[in-house]
Amino acid sequence: MTDFKELFKSLVKAGVHFGHRTSVWCPRMAPYIWGHKSSVHLIDVSKTAYQLEKAAQFIESVVADGKSVLWVGTKKAAQASVRSCAERLSMPFVDHRWIGGTLSNHSQVKKSVTKLLHYEDVLSKDLGSTFYTKKELNRFRKSIDRLNKNIGGIVNLKWPLGAIVLIDINKEASALREAASTHVPVVALVDTNCDPSLV
């Protein structure tokens, strides 16, 4: 059982109660807004704590069912945290750019994954001297770097996907739409300027 008093203190200390300016807000976030100060919305910390606990229990149940959780955070401030968290949990992640069709057209993305694995295999076995020119090997290395940036985190993505965690639903709007169209549950950080209806 979570100690909500301590959780409240840590949330306030981290500054999660600060939303966006009152001039930029989504009316659907009204139930989660406590008030405003100096033209900045203040988020209700008690509701945040409750939703965090609910999200944690949901993700725990998804993982207990043996399904994977895809972590997505492509904004600069979130990239390192998303990558380290997902790697620590051995979960798939996207930290550079969301590739359209990752959920809705996965067979196409799988082809890119296969290409990446093939290029890595070629370079690891040092077959270059026998079968490939220096120029071709250099091209493979460049392709590996590019593919690793875009799909390196989803090489081990397993289906069915249990849930997707988004750091900013405005920044990750295409991922949110894909998750909704493929009926993948979404857990996300939502600010006062975002529409929480698909989360």
Side-chain angles (χ1 to χ4, degrees), residues 37-72:
K37 185 179 180 181
S38 304
S39 300
V40 173
H41 273 129
L42 299 174
I43 298 167
D44 189 336
V45 181
S46 63
K47 287 183 178 173
T48 302
Y50 171 72
Q51 294 294 344
L52 276 173
E53 186 65 23
K54 192 173 155 188
Q57 287 172 2
F58 169 70
I59 289 174
E60 211 173 283
S61 69
V62 164
V63 175
D65 286 344
K67 295 177 181 175
S68 58
V69 177
L70 176 60
W71 296 75
V72 182

Side-chain angles (χ1 to χ4, degrees), residues 14 19 36 44 63 71 89 94 103 120 126 151 164 178 189 191:
H36 60 86
D44 189 336
V63 175
W71 296 75
L89 300 169
V94 175
L103 302 179
E120 284 179 341
D126 272 342
I151 58 161
I164 181 169
E178 269 190 54
L189 297 181
D191 210 334

Side-chain angles (χ1 to χ4, degrees), residues 130-185:
T130 319
F131 298 104
Y132 300 101
T133 64
K134 264 187 178 177
K135 190 176 179 181
E136 284 174 321
L137 288 173
N138 202 31
R139 200 176 74 233
F140 290 166
R141 283 189 194 95
K142 283 181 181 172
S143 293
I144 287 171
D145 290 344
R146 182 179 50 80
L147 287 166
N148 257 326
K149 230 180 199 182
N150 292 328
I151 58 161
I154 57 170
V155 168
N156 299 318
L157 181 61
K158 294 182 184 76
W159 290 90
L161 192 60
I164 181 169
V165 176
L166 303 176
I167 299 304
D168 180 348
I169 61 172
N170 276 356
K171 173 85 172 152
E172 316 300 348
S174 52
L176 181 66
R177 283 194 300 273
E178 269 190 54
S181 69
T182 53
H183 309 292
V184 175

Side-chain angles (χ1 to χ4, degrees), residues 85-102:
C85 186
E87 284 175 345
R88 200 169 63 245
L89 300 169
S90 302
M91 291 287 172
F93 65 92
V94 175
D95 68 340
H96 178 65
R97 185 172 76 88
W98 178 261
I99 303 295
T102 300

